[in-house]
Structure formats: structure tokens, C-alpha cells
Amino acid sequence: MDAIPEAIQNPDIKYTKLFIANEWRASSSGSTFASINPSTADKIADISEAKESDVDDAVKAAKAAFSRNSEWRRMTPSERCKLMSEVADLIERDAQYLASLETADNGRPYSLTYGDVMTVAKNFRYYAGWTDKYHGKTIPFNGDYFCYTVHKPIGVCGAIIPWNVPMIMFSWKVAPCLAMGNVMVLKPAEQSPLTALYLASLFKEAGFPAGVLNVIPGYGNVAGRSLAHHDGVDKIAFTGSNTVGRLILEAAAASNCKRVTVEMGGKNPNIVFSDFDVDRAVKLSQTAAFGNSGQVCCSGSRNFVQDDIYEQFVRKCIEEAKKRTVGDPTDFKSAQGPMISEQQLQRVLGFLERAAANGAKIVSGGNRIRDRDGYFMEPTVVTELTDEMEISKEEVFGPVQQIYKFKTLDEVIERANNTRFGLAAGVLTNDFNNVMEIANEVNAGVVWVNCYYPMSPGMAFGGVKESGFGRDLGEYAVQNYSDVKTVIMKVPGRH
Ligand code: NAD
């Protein structure tokens, strides 16, 4: 087998400072934090840590870029479209580098991060197309008046993103934001800041004016908190945990009532009816549960399986979980890389320990993989669960497939909805009635039928209930980055 190129295994790290007004700056305090490769537990870079004054500088730079008559504000939609398309081209040009950087920083297998880069480029191209298309209406008005609406940018938008798919999250926030003519200050997660910094350099290279995009790595309770509370920020787009999402909502209320969109976690049901081919169901269900080491907000973590195929399904899941290759994420043979951190690995093991103590059965896996230095964990299958256990209610965010038995359609709908979350759901069945009932009745922002995980730039992604509100992707995201202004004009020469 061919050796893995050194450039993929150990990418050269070019940018580690704050990106403010198209310049690379050390943090005003001089402090840094370590970026760790989760496959080896080695430090790969010291990253400048944004503190309150740096956040303030970034917001000021963004505000200046958004000022009346600034280069950015005077740009035509077609010019904005060209810049965004240029960024997409540069992202594709540097695909191998960006993918290897993401794999080194986050542990997501290179075979997936390369695909992520292509998705990110597609997202920017898609939103380049929206720069001149999100228009208002002319509205019939009582009296001699002419009334129209126009969709205006909101202004300075803050984005706070998680570590699980960093480049994808970057594109979900930045692309619709800039397409609508806003400016942005983005705080990547402290566990995975490297690709956001490199992507920022491509915005400068493409010719975006200074201050339109600013990237400030730092800790959540310092830089994130400060951004969420900043009076100069007009909107915050957050993706992350439910706990922090609540803090963002509080911060908006305690400061300037900035607009907020929050994409929080999920405890997503993936429902398998017995009419569906069992082998395919096992494959799709494990993709849903184990993809990205289960560190996905929309992972199919609660796998409901109809009783007449349950035993067979569980047996096959155990066989397949044992065959799953976990290892070096730069190796194409690895289906699963490490967890993001020691802390996340311990958190997942803790859920399993408490579930087992309460009667759940770990039928495959359940352990740390100890023959490597990084944070690797066995793909794990758990049965004998009740809906009331902690593990059935909370996001585990690890490679854990939880299998539950059900009998009837009505029962499974009720149990699928027995959660405070409502992000995604899946159903595997050939029965049209089951499809329609699940699609209509399960409370989720996204429902996958006979598939799990396909996404495309034009769809909408987001949750209901405590999974949050607002949508990423598609036209719905441009709505979330614009305000509607109504203009009413007296028609000249009439009463
Ligand atoms: P997290 O909530 O701990 O952190 C998310 C971001 O918030 C990070 O950038 C972090 O630095 C920042 N943050 C932390 N404390 C903060 C504070 N007090 N004020 C402001 N910002 C703060 O989440 P995580 O552990 O990075 O990511 C995992 C979580 O994200 C999971 O719960 C997962 O479901 C969720 N997630 C949701 C989606 C979605 O679209 N719904 C997508 C990906 C991840």
C-alpha cells in the first residue's frame, strides 16, 4: 500500500494569530492556547487567544467595514458574487491542505475532510448566487401610495461555532452572512481553530475588503461570552450545546437585544421498520450512529427497531461494529478517527458506565482503544435501554449506537418525540403510510427517509424545541441574515 504523504500527515501550520481587518495580530494580552492533534495527543500549534479587548477590536473593524460608503457597502451584488465565487475557487485550489489541516486539528478522517472542503466550496458558490436574488415585494396598499419591501443586511454578525465539523460550520455561517452584505466576527471552537484561520487568509487573497470577515480564536467563556454580550454586534449565530445556547440567549437579552439564531443539540430517533432490508438498515443505522465518531448533532443516536427483526438487527450490528476500522485518520482505510479530546472521551465513557450500572447492556465495544496515544474509542452498541435513562435523554456525542425495540407505529412516534430535542430524525421503511406518518408526526427540523445524512446547500437545517431556532443553509439562512424594511411612498400628483 502507498505511504501516506507527509503533507497530509503533518501539514505545515501557517496561521496561528487573530485575523482582524485583514491583518494577523497577536492577542493584546499575548496569551496563547495549545491546539492538540487528537490522534496523537501532541500539541501542533500555539494559537493567539482573543480576550475582551481583541473582541472589541474585531467588532470595531467589522463596524468600520460596514460603515456607510465603505468599499463593502458600495459593492454591487454582482461584485460580491464574484468575490464569493473566487473564495470557492481558492478553497478548491487548497483542498488537500485544508483537508489535512482539519484532520490534524480535529481527527476527522481525511477521506471525509476532503469531501468537507468540496462541500464548503459548494456552499460558497451557492450563496454567491444569492447575492442578487433575495429581493423584496411590491405590496398593494390602501390609498394613493406605492409600497415595497427591501431586504437589508443586519450589520455586524457574530458567529460562534463548535469543533465537530469546523469548516462546514464556518461555511454555514459566513456564506449566507456575506452574501446578504453583512460583516462577520467569527469565533471558532478552541479545540479546532486552524481551518477557520486558513480560510480567513483566502478571503484576503480573494480581495474581500478589510474587516468584512474577522476570525478570533479563543475560549468560549472569554471571547465567546464577550462577543455574545457586545453591544456593537447586531446578530449572533450560534451552533453548539444546549447549555451554551441558553447563555447566548441570555447574553442577547442582557445586552442590546441582538438577533439570535441557535442551532443546539439533538437526540435523534432513527426508526427501522421490519419491512426494510435488514442488512441495509444495519449499514445506514451505523452510518447514522458512528459517523464522525458519533460527534454529530444530528447523529441517529436513538435507533428504534421493530420487534420482529430486533434480534437479527442487533446481532448484525454487533458483527459490523467489530469490523469497523478505527485508526489513523490520515489513512483512507480508517472509517473512524479519534474523539476530539480526552475530556470528550471520558464524558462518553461516563455515560456508558452509568447506563450499564442502571441495567443497559453494552453488547459490543464500550472501551477506550489503548494501543494508541490519541483519544480513540471502540464503536459501541448498547441494548436493554429504557427511554427514561440518562443516556436516552442526553446527547452522548460519541460512537455509541443505542438500540431500542418497538412494536407499533403509534408507539414509536410517541417514543421518538419523548425528548426535549427536535433536530433530526430518520426512518427506514418501504411502507408509504409509515413514511408519511413519521415525516409528519415526528417533531424534528429534518427528516431523512430511507437514507441518513445527505445534505445539500439549498436545503434547510435546524431544529425545533430545545434544538434551537433559525435555519442554516438554503434561502432560510439568507432570511436569518437580513431585515425587512417597508417603504411607503405617496404617489405624486394624487390626493
Ligand atoms: P459548546 O456549546 O461547548 O461550544 C460551542 C461554541 O461555543 C464553542 O466555540 C465554544 O467556545 C463556545 N462557548 C462556550 N462557552 C461559551 C460561552 N459562555 N459564551 C459564548 N460562547 C461559548 O459545544 P461543543 O462542545 O463545541 O460542540 C458540541 C455541541 O454542539 C453538541 O451539543 C452538538 O449537538 C452541538 N452542535 C449542534 C449543531 C447544530 O447544527 N444543531 C451542529 C454541530 C454541533
Side-chain angles (χ1 to χ4, degrees):
M1 109 116 222
D2 295 336
I4 300 161
E6 176 64 16
I8 293 180
Q9 280 196 313
N10 292 304
D12 191 23
I13 294 168
K14 299 184 174 123
Y15 300 108
T16 57
K17 295 201 165 123
L18 314 179
F19 183 75
I20 298 176
N22 277 1
E23 285 173 5
W24 298 101
R25 299 188 195 171
S27 156
S28 53
S29 66
S31 30
T32 59
F33 64 93
S35 179
I36 305 289
N37 180 335
S39 307
T40 59
D42 291 335
K43 178 169 88 170
I44 49 174
D46 287 307
I47 309 291
S48 291
E49 187 210 335
K51 297 275 178 85
E52 283 85 353
S53 65
D54 303 303
V55 173
D56 197 44
D57 285 351
V59 171
K60 282 189 181 129
K63 225 176 174 53
F66 194 72
S67 62
R68 190 165 172 245
N69 291 326
S70 68
E71 187 187 350
W72 179 241
R73 291 294 288 280
R74 291 163 64 89
M75 216 174 256
T76 64
S78 300
E79 287 165 335
R80 273 208 314 276
C81 171
K82 194 157 176 263
L83 278 184
M84 292 190 55
S85 307
E86 176 69 21
V87 154
D89 292 346
L90 294 176
I91 289 168
E92 281 177 349
R93 180 196 70 186
D94 294 345
Q96 177 178 315
Y97 177 69
L98 273 164
S100 45
L101 199 60
E102 189 89 309
T103 296
D105 205 18
N106 164 286
R108 183 165 158 81
Y110 181 81
S111 55
L112 301 178
T113 55
Y114 195 88
D116 292 349
V117 179
M118 296 303 153
T119 299
V120 169
K122 276 190 204 129
N123 288 343
F124 276 99
R125 259 190 213 108
Y126 171 83
Y127 280 107
W130 269 110
T131 50
D132 57 2
K133 291 178 191 65
Y134 190 49
H135 42 71
K137 298 179 176 181
T138 54
I139 297 173
F141 204 89
N142 290 332
D144 294 332
Y145 301 95
F146 173 57
C147 176
Y148 66 92
T149 56
V150 60
H151 296 164
K152 305 287 281 181
I154 296 172
V156 178
C157 300
I160 299 177
I161 59 173
W163 45 260
N164 59 338
V165 271
M167 279 187 290
I168 300 275
M169 291 296 113
F170 177 100
S171 69
W172 284 14
K173 305 302 185 205
V174 176
C177 172
L178 301 193
M180 286 310 297
N182 299 283
V183 291
M184 181 158 259
V185 177
L186 177 135
K187 193 203 84 63
E190 53 272 38
Q191 298 87 344
S192 58
L194 291 177
T195 47
L197 291 172
Y198 188 75
L199 285 166
S201 79
L202 300 183
F203 280 72
K204 181 173 177 176
E205 185 179 342
F208 276 82
V212 171
L213 173 67
N214 308 275
V215 177
I216 49 160
Y219 289 109
N221 59 2
V222 181
R225 187 180 187 283
S226 165
L227 191 61
H229 279 270
H230 204 294
D231 283 333
V233 173
D234 303 299
K235 180 218 161 105
I236 283 276
F238 170 78
T239 295
S241 63
N242 188 274
T243 310
V244 176
R246 286 164 189 271
L247 296 175
I248 304 290
L249 295 169
E250 280 176 24
S255 57
N256 59 345
C257 291
K258 52 180 66 68
R259 284 155 193 68
V260 180
T261 44
V262 277
E263 304 270 19
M264 303 186 278
K267 191 71 200 178
N268 314 290
N270 177 33
I271 302 164
V272 184
F273 285 91
S274 56
D275 62 68
F276 199 79
D277 177 72
V278 180
D279 290 324
R280 248 183 92 210
V282 167
K283 208 164 177 307
L284 283 165
S285 298
Q286 293 203 329
T287 299
F290 294 152
N292 205 30
S293 305
Q295 300 171 129
V296 188
C297 51
C298 52
S299 77
S301 50
R302 286 187 300 144
N303 201 177
F304 290 97
V305 179
Q306 205 159 23
D307 54 357
D308 34 354
I309 56 162
Y310 177 85
E311 302 298 339
Q312 191 190 4
F313 182 90
V314 170
R315 187 170 30 80
K316 286 178 187 256
C317 282
I318 296 170
E319 282 164 22
E320 289 304 311
K322 288 192 193 307
K323 283 192 221 153
R324 197 171 165 81
T325 45
V326 184
D328 178 356
T330 62
D331 187 335
F332 269 73
K333 289 199 301 297
S334 302
Q336 186 177 309
M339 313 288 300
I340 187 73
S341 63
E342 180 69 37
Q343 189 193 10
Q344 186 65 18
L345 175 56
Q346 292 305 332
R347 190 172 169 268
V348 175
L349 293 174
F351 275 118
L352 290 172
E353 204 176 296
R354 292 188 294 279
N358 283 308
K361 202 163 158 199
I362 298 170
V363 291
S364 187
N367 302 302
R368 179 182 200 145
I369 295 175
R370 293 206 171 269
D371 60 355
R372 299 180 158 271
D373 286 337
Y375 317 121
F376 293 86
M377 184 177 161
E378 292 171 341
T380 299
V381 181
V382 188
T383 60
E384 315 281 315
L385 295 145
T386 70
D387 295 350
E388 301 314 315
M389 285 177 179
E390 175 204 40
I391 200 170
S392 304
K393 300 223 165 269
E394 299 299 325
E395 262 193 310
V396 174
F397 234 56
V400 178
Q401 182 185 15
Q402 299 168 214
I403 309 181
Y404 304 77
K405 195 194 292 186
F406 78 92
K407 219 178 179 58
T408 66
L409 173 67
D410 287 340
E411 171 203 339
V412 81
I413 289 173
E414 194 173 320
R415 291 173 66 192
N417 287 335
N418 180 20
T419 166
R420 65 193 170 108
F421 294 110
L423 188 57
V427 56
L428 304 177
T429 180
N430 295 311
D431 183 316
F432 183 69
N433 184 56
N434 289 340
V435 170
M436 293 311 292
E437 287 287 335
I438 299 291
N440 285 332
E441 299 301 328
V442 171
N443 296 327
V446 180
V447 180
W448 283 293
V449 178
N450 295 347
C451 57
Y452 207 95
Y453 277 148
M455 296 209 195
S456 199
M459 69 182 268
F461 186 88
V464 299
K465 295 159 69 179
E466 290 187 32
S467 290
F469 47 83
R471 291 291 178 269
D472 284 310
L473 294 175
E475 181 177 353
Y476 296 95
V478 294
Q479 261 173 29
N480 290 161
Y481 286 98
S482 59
D483 278 331
V484 178
K485 179 179 272 183
T486 306
V487 181
I488 303 125
M489 293 182 192
K490 180 85 179 76
V491 177
R494 305 194 54 179
H495 306 300

